[in-house]
Amino acid sequence: MRLVFVTVAAIAALITQFMMQRGGDFNLAVPNWIGSSPAPVIGVASVIDGDTIEIHGQRIRFNGIDAPESSQPCDDVKGFRYQCGAKAAAALAEFLAASRPVHCEFVSWDRYGRYVGNCARADGVRAAGWLVEKGQALDWPKYSSGAYATQQATAKSAKRGIWAGSFQAPWDWRAEHRDDGQSTSAPLFAAGNGGCNIKGNISADGERVYHMPGQKFYDVTNIAEAKGERWFCSEGEAITAGWRRSKR
């Protein structure tokens, strides 16, 4: 028993030394060494930002990628500033709404207690790879080992999403804004709309108008479902239901 105790103590010392040497990177690996992994999380997702969702109250960070933060700006091809973080979130919401539910497999816990996972739609298309290939997120080599480098090269070559203009890598933008990556924001598209982000509004004179993310009155438009207003997952759905697109 004494020999067993000494052996365990020696292993613990080696692990501690390794932790001190590796510093911040180690926090992503520890949970995989201790105890059993959590079960997959399956359900309709609410979008927190371009790389984070919430299912049944569990916040989930996509493994191996990094999307612009919700308040992060980028420049488009003409040099005009736009909210690329909000645009990435809107793209993710539309992507997830096309095939529900979302299925997430556990990879690790991050330093903020978030479930880090590999997530796919019901049709099997993985969210992380899709976001990178559409230019809405970056491969994060620090954690991905270049898993999405091919998709990123495709997006860059085609000038998709943020690659159409100029931008700052999200991890650099956070460092400058003294935010080490912890997202404390509420879901950008709350659970009540099931991840759909097109706002179907009824005007004072009874006209049914839908607003797309990025349009002038989108942010100030509130949806009152009790009045017959609603959320749509696609423009086609809104048009079929009798709504017309806002002119601005």
Side-chain angles (χ1 to χ4, degrees):
M1 290 296 294
R2 183 177 301 173
L3 178 61
V4 171
F5 177 79
V6 172
T7 301
V8 171
I11 293 173
L14 287 172
I15 293 174
T16 301
Q17 182 180 6
F18 179 77
M19 290 174 63
M20 293 176 65
Q21 291 174 346
R22 293 296 299 274
D25 292 345
F26 186 77
N27 67 320
L28 290 176
V30 170
N32 289 329
W33 293 15
I34 302 173
S36 58
S37 297
V41 179
I42 304 171
V44 175
S46 297
V47 172
I48 305 299
D49 58 28
D51 54 33
T52 308
I53 59 175
E54 189 170 285
I55 300 175
H56 305 316
Q58 175 66 65
R59 191 159 292 196
I60 301 166
R61 179 73 156 77
F62 295 151
N63 181 49
I65 69 167
D66 201 8
E69 294 296 313
S70 296
S71 57
Q72 182 177 343
C74 298
D75 293 331
D76 66 16
V77 66
K78 295 182 179 179
F80 292 106
R81 185 69 41 109
Y82 72 100
Q83 295 299 313
C84 52
K87 191 168 184 177
L92 175 59
E94 186 173 354
F95 167 78
L96 296 179
S99 182
R100 297 170 174 160
V102 177
H103 183 285
C104 296
E105 294 284 346
F106 177 78
V107 174
S108 68
W109 298 107
D110 72 6
R111 72 183 67 184
Y112 303 112
R114 290 176 300 189
Y115 180 115
V116 178
N118 292 318
C119 300
R121 298 189 310 194
D123 61 5
V125 181
R126 288 179 174 265
W130 183 89
L131 285 163
V132 174
E133 189 166 342
K134 295 301 181 181
Q136 301 298 340
L138 299 181
D139 174 64
W140 200 354
K142 182 177 180 180
Y143 300 118
S144 71
S145 298
Y148 303 103
T150 299
Q151 289 98 321
Q152 181 161 294
T154 299
K156 184 176 181 180
S157 176
K159 299 186 182 302
R160 295 175 184 161
I162 57 178
W163 295 104
S166 60
F167 63 92
Q168 189 173 24
W171 50 85
D172 291 333
W173 189 88
R174 284 194 300 271
E176 287 191 4
H177 291 77
R178 301 190 180 189
D179 178 1
D180 195 27
Q182 184 175 17
S183 175
T184 56
S185 60
L188 185 59
F189 308 123
N193 64 13
C196 299
N197 63 327
I198 299 174
K199 295 180 176 181
N201 176 249
I202 301 177
S203 66
D205 57 6
E207 187 175 15
R208 298 185 175 192
V209 179
Y210 68 87
H211 300 265
M212 300 289 294
Q215 287 192 294
K216 182 176 181 179
F217 298 111
Y218 181 86
D219 290 337
V220 297
T221 299
N222 296 315
I223 299 303
E225 295 184 4
K227 293 168 49 181
E229 297 176 337
R230 54 179 291 191
W231 296 87
F232 295 103
C233 299
S234 69
E235 286 197 79
E237 181 185 358
I239 293 170
T240 300
W243 264 257
R244 72 159 178 85
R245 183 182 177 120
S246 174
K247 296 178 181 178
R248 53 181 178 167

